[in-house]
Amino acid sequence: MSNAVMERTPAGEHKQRHTRNLAEWSRRPQLPDTHYVDTRVYTDPIIFREEIEKIFNRVWLPVCHESELPNPYDYRTASVAGFKPIVVVRGPDNKIRTFLNICPHRGNIIVRSPAGTLTKAEPSGNPKHMTCMFHGWQWDAFGRCAEIPREEQGYQGRVCKADVGLREIRTEVAHGGFVWVNLDDNCEPLADYIAGAFDFMSQELDTEPLEIFHYQKSVIRTNYKLWHETSREFYHDYMHYHNRATGMLQKGYFDRKYTVFPNGHAATGLTTIVYEAYEGNKDRVLTFPGMPKNGWKQVNIFPACTYSLRASCLRVSIMTPISERETLIEIRGLGLKRDTPQEREERIIDHDTIWGPFGRNLHEDLLAVQNQSIAMREGSGSKYLIMAREENSTIHDEIGLRSYFAEWTRRMGRMASDPTRLLED
Amino acid sequence: MTNRELDQLQQVHELVYESCLRLNAEDWKGYLDLCDPDSFRYRIVNYSPEIRREQCWMDRDFKGLKALFDLLPKHNSDHSPLTRHATVYKVTFDESAGEASAITLLSIYRTQLDGVNSHFESGQTSLFAVGKYEDRIRLGNGTGPARLLGRTVRLDTRQLDIGSHYPF
Ligand code: FES
Ligand SMILES: [Fe+2]
């Protein structure tokens, strides 16, 4: 090619450096098929529907924090695995249960507010009950049907309260007091699914109760995997001035290790950040039980959740996929329940500086994943993403991405590097 | 209204509107010139019905805000400009302190530039956020012009798309 130049690779070979024509651009990377991904896994609506069926309908998903429903009869609504509406309710026995938030009569949403208490009566329903506003059917906080207006006259025993309880969804509260649900009635217990991925953070998360202080959400025009991937690779620290100026310049930055767990989870080991290196930052003094000052640990739970415990605050990011190109991203900030008002204020400021909607990093991360989605839209000409960095499982190694796609491949029965290829092939 | 009251009202209007013009122009230094360096506190807050709590999304003093502005060129921001449309609705005076409080309703529009596919979307304007400014203002007197002592941006909007590096 006319515009070629010679390059000497680190291995000492001479290679020609040149642009690529369409055939060359479309050629599979000369890498193991675990080390690159076909962009159709982010853009194909059929693959997306299959992900909901084979992944999201079967795994444990965190949906909210217990402090969002602190008292008996408190509730929180959400949706999981695409559009499945759910309502999480704390019963009079203090136990948290989850139900599909769909009326078995004629399909209305039952509980409508994002959060609240059932102790107040609805315009057409009794207190301590969930009332469907359409025809006034009611359920108690255990999900049992308590009222069908004119039941006997209309159904003559053909339909009765005993037949129309709510669909209950497997629920556990764990790992810092988060409420986890699983749509599969026959799923393994949460602890088996997590497979020890939280062990290195359990002292911080589970010594004493945590409390939410920050909630933010956005529907971002991106595939959910792209957002999760930003948490699984630190090579993009080059994007964040904050990280270039603090973490990356510190001794030991390149030694920080990834640990890969079963079921696709991955953790990044403890590091400490010298915040003084960043102009305008106050030193952080608050921490979590067992966590050194200015420490930072992170765990990524397959398929769509990240816990990041950084200095004085815990950030938990949860994604709900809406379509192959839209994702609801929810970000929660938590401190210790016993914080004094002054301590809480400090944690909030620390949290917002990095991760608030006006923080330094979040905006950059979201901008990048949205732009990725634009660039690799179906028909754009995008072909492959390279995930081939190997650095002995340290910080810029892309093992976190590869472990994700290993699990994805196992559950989907398709190669991420060529989704048209089924595993049996 | 006495002439003195009219003058004070005009000072408040001019200060609030000038602050919007300077922010719209991304004249960060000019904006800080309108703020009192010793006591200025800038906060962005909202009430979340999801967690049933008041929450704070930014809390900076004068120095902190200046540091944030100084670092803007180092960040990989969406460069879509934000346009603040403001109307001062209510001003109350504290004569003895020489201060005023103003409530200003605020709409913020975003005109796309490079945040998304610029070929298709640059030039499009959409409503980005609504809320209000709650300002505390020191009125001008013989020793100096009116200055912002504190600004709380109380947002109604709780979904800010990808967010912003630019304060409202
Ligand atoms: S649809 Fe709910 S009571 Fe009829
Ligand atoms: Fe990032």
Side-chain angles (χ1 to χ4, degrees), chain B residues 18-31:
Chain B
E18 186 63 27
S19 76
C20 292
L21 286 174
R22 293 186 188 185
L23 286 170
N24 288 352
E26 299 178 11
D27 174 9
W28 315 118
K29 190 196 163 299
Y31 175 70

Side-chain angles (χ1 to χ4, degrees), chain A residues 41-52:
Chain A
V41 307
Y42 304 99
T43 61
D44 186 332
I46 294 167
I47 289 180
F48 177 79
R49 281 200 291 279
E50 204 175 290
E51 286 175 319
I52 297 294

Side-chain angles (χ1 to χ4, degrees), chain B residues 5-143:
Chain B
E5 284 165 342
L6 266 176
D7 168 65
Q8 290 184 336
L9 192 62
Q10 196 176 343
Q11 284 188 35
V12 170
H13 283 192
E14 275 175 11
L15 182 63
V16 171
Y17 292 137
E18 186 63 27
S19 76
C20 292
L21 286 174
R22 293 186 188 185
L23 286 170
N24 288 352
E26 299 178 11
D27 174 9
W28 315 118
K29 190 196 163 299
Y31 175 70
L32 286 175
D33 288 342
L34 302 176
C35 306
D36 182 81
D38 301 319
S39 60
F40 188 65
R41 185 177 185 193
Y42 178 91
R43 300 175 78 230
I44 301 176
V45 302
N46 65 62
Y47 175 78
S48 161
E50 290 84 11
I51 58 172
R52 292 181 282 164
R53 273 167 207 274
E54 194 67 37
Q55 52 177 350
C56 177
W57 283 353
M58 193 198 277
D59 190 341
R60 296 272 175 152
D61 59 12
F62 186 92
K63 259 179 68 189
L65 203 56
K66 181 171 184 315
L68 183 145
F69 289 141
D70 290 346
L71 289 173
L72 282 177
K74 302 197 185 249
H75 289 304
N76 287 300
S77 296
D78 171 354
H79 297 105
S80 300
L82 301 178
T83 308
R84 295 149 193 83
H85 281 240
T87 306
V88 178
Y89 266 62
K90 189 173 171 178
V91 183
T92 45
F93 294 97
D94 178 344
E95 280 294 340
S96 59
E99 289 180 12
S101 301
I103 307 243
T104 301
L105 265 59
L106 180 70
S107 317
I108 300 170
Y109 299 85
R110 181 175 60 177
T111 302
Q112 295 288 0
L113 179 62
D114 59 2
V116 285
N117 189 330
S118 56
H119 189 198
F120 297 147
E121 305 202 18
S122 65
Q124 282 178 7
T125 297
S126 56
L127 185 60
F128 192 53
V130 295
K132 60 185 174 202
Y133 288 146
E134 295 166 354
D135 289 335
R136 208 160 64 78
I137 291 161
R138 191 188 55 230
L139 293 163
N141 53 35
T143 61

Side-chain angles (χ1 to χ4, degrees), chain A residues 255-274:
Chain A
D255 302 331
R256 194 176 170 193
K257 279 257 183 184
Y258 273 102
T259 313
V260 167
F261 294 89
N263 301 327
H265 315 312
T268 326
L270 175 73
T271 186
T272 52
I273 305 292
V274 182

Side-chain angles (χ1 to χ4, degrees), chain A residues 314-385:
Chain A
L314 172 67
R315 174 184 82 154
V316 177
S317 151
I318 297 171
M319 285 162 289
T320 304
I322 299 170
S323 72
E324 72 283 0
R325 64 169 88 164
E326 278 175 305
T327 305
L328 174 72
I329 297 177
E330 292 175 282
I331 290 168
R332 287 171 167 82
L334 298 102
L336 300 181
K337 193 171 174 197
R338 67 164 160 84
D339 286 341
T340 63
Q342 199 187 340
E343 287 171 330
R344 183 60 61 86
E345 192 177 303
E346 269 178 54
R347 290 190 201 274
I348 291 172
I349 291 173
D350 287 352
H351 177 275
D352 289 346
T353 308
I354 311 288
W355 291 319
F358 299 88
R360 294 165 185 136
N361 287 27
L362 182 74
H363 176 73
E364 293 180 329
D365 288 322
L366 289 174
L367 193 54
V369 298
Q370 186 178 265
N371 289 355
Q372 274 182 295
S373 248
I374 290 162
M376 64 175 87
R377 209 174 153 135
E378 228 176 340
S380 71
S382 165
K383 292 300 285 183
Y384 303 108
L385 306 192

Side-chain angles (χ1 to χ4, degrees), chain B residues 147-161:
Chain B
R147 286 288 171 260
L148 281 167
L149 298 172
R151 169 164 284 179
T152 298
V153 184
R154 192 168 296 279
L155 291 176
D156 299 321
T157 304
R158 303 188 312 281
Q159 286 204 36
L160 289 174
D161 193 46

Side-chain angles (χ1 to χ4, degrees), chain A residues 85-99:
Chain A
I86 58 167
V87 55
V88 184
V89 184
R90 189 184 285 271
D93 56 353
N94 241 335
K95 195 172 165 211
I96 291 175
R97 297 177 179 82
T98 307
F99 310 101

Side-chain angles (χ1 to χ4, degrees), chain A residues 141-412:
Chain A
F142 298 91
R144 300 174 298 209
C145 184
E147 172 67 16
I148 297 178
R150 301 190 71 247
E151 175 184 353
E152 187 48 42
Q153 291 92 326
Y155 299 113
Q156 304 89 25
R158 291 170 295 124
V159 175
C160 62
K161 292 193 271 295
D163 302 325
V164 291
L166 296 184
R167 143 81 158 124
E168 187 164 359
I169 294 165
R170 291 273 301 269
T171 305
E172 289 191 36
V173 179
H175 309 305
F178 270 80
V179 179
W180 298 71
V181 302
N182 194 316
L183 293 160
D184 179 359
D185 288 341
N186 302 312
C187 65
E188 68 212 307
L190 174 62
D192 294 0
Y193 179 67
I194 295 298
F198 276 110
D199 288 357
F200 82 124
M201 226 192 244
S202 63
Q203 194 186 352
E204 291 90 338
L205 294 180
D206 297 319
T207 303
E208 54 175 296
L210 310 184
E211 190 172 72
I212 188 162
F213 60 70
H214 176 103
Y215 177 79
Q216 144 195 15
K217 65 174 175 181
S218 282
V219 174
I220 301 293
R221 288 180 276 176
T222 194
N223 184 275
Y224 73 93
K225 295 188 289 297
L226 293 169
W227 176 241
H228 194 59
E229 288 168 19
T230 60
S231 307
R232 284 177 175 249
E233 58 96 349
F234 283 76
Y235 191 35
H236 85 270
D237 275 350
Y238 285 108
M239 174 170 72
H240 300 306
Y241 172 69
H242 176 82
N243 302 32
R244 296 197 303 273
T246 57
M248 290 189 81
L249 297 180
Q250 273 168 241
K251 232 177 89 207
Y253 169 86
F254 286 100
D255 302 331
R256 194 176 170 193
K257 279 257 183 184
Y258 273 102
T259 313
V260 167
F261 294 89
N263 301 327
H265 315 312
T268 326
L270 175 73
T271 186
T272 52
I273 305 292
V274 182
Y275 285 98
E276 296 87 272
Y278 195 88
E279 197 199 335
N281 265 327
K282 276 191 271 176
D283 191 20
R284 278 116 157 116
V285 287
L286 292 169
T287 174
F288 273 63
M291 179 87 162
K293 193 182 111 178
N294 291 343
W296 179 18
K297 293 178 175 181
Q298 194 189 57
V299 59
N300 295 290
I301 300 300
F302 184 89
C305 166
T306 299
Y307 277 54
S308 205
L309 183 60
R310 183 170 185 151
S312 61
C313 40
L314 172 67
R315 174 184 82 154
V316 177
S317 151
I318 297 171
M319 285 162 289
T320 304
I322 299 170
S323 72
E324 72 283 0
R325 64 169 88 164
E326 278 175 305
T327 305
L328 174 72
I329 297 177
E330 292 175 282
I331 290 168
R332 287 171 167 82
L334 298 102
L336 300 181
K337 193 171 174 197
R338 67 164 160 84
D339 286 341
T340 63
Q342 199 187 340
E343 287 171 330
R344 183 60 61 86
E345 192 177 303
E346 269 178 54
R347 290 190 201 274
I348 291 172
I349 291 173
D350 287 352
H351 177 275
D352 289 346
T353 308
I354 311 288
W355 291 319
F358 299 88
R360 294 165 185 136
N361 287 27
L362 182 74
H363 176 73
E364 293 180 329
D365 288 322
L366 289 174
L367 193 54
V369 298
Q370 186 178 265
N371 289 355
Q372 274 182 295
S373 248
I374 290 162
M376 64 175 87
R377 209 174 153 135
E378 228 176 340
S380 71
S382 165
K383 292 300 285 183
Y384 303 108
L385 306 192
I386 297 171
M387 299 176 179
R389 296 188 65 83
E390 290 185 15
E391 292 186 68
N392 195 24
S393 300
T394 55
I395 196 75
H396 286 187
D397 194 312
E398 285 166 339
I399 186 174
L401 301 179
R402 291 191 293 273
S403 73
Y404 187 90
F405 280 102
E407 180 67 8
W408 188 93
T409 297
R410 184 175 81 83
R411 288 187 176 263
M412 293 287 285

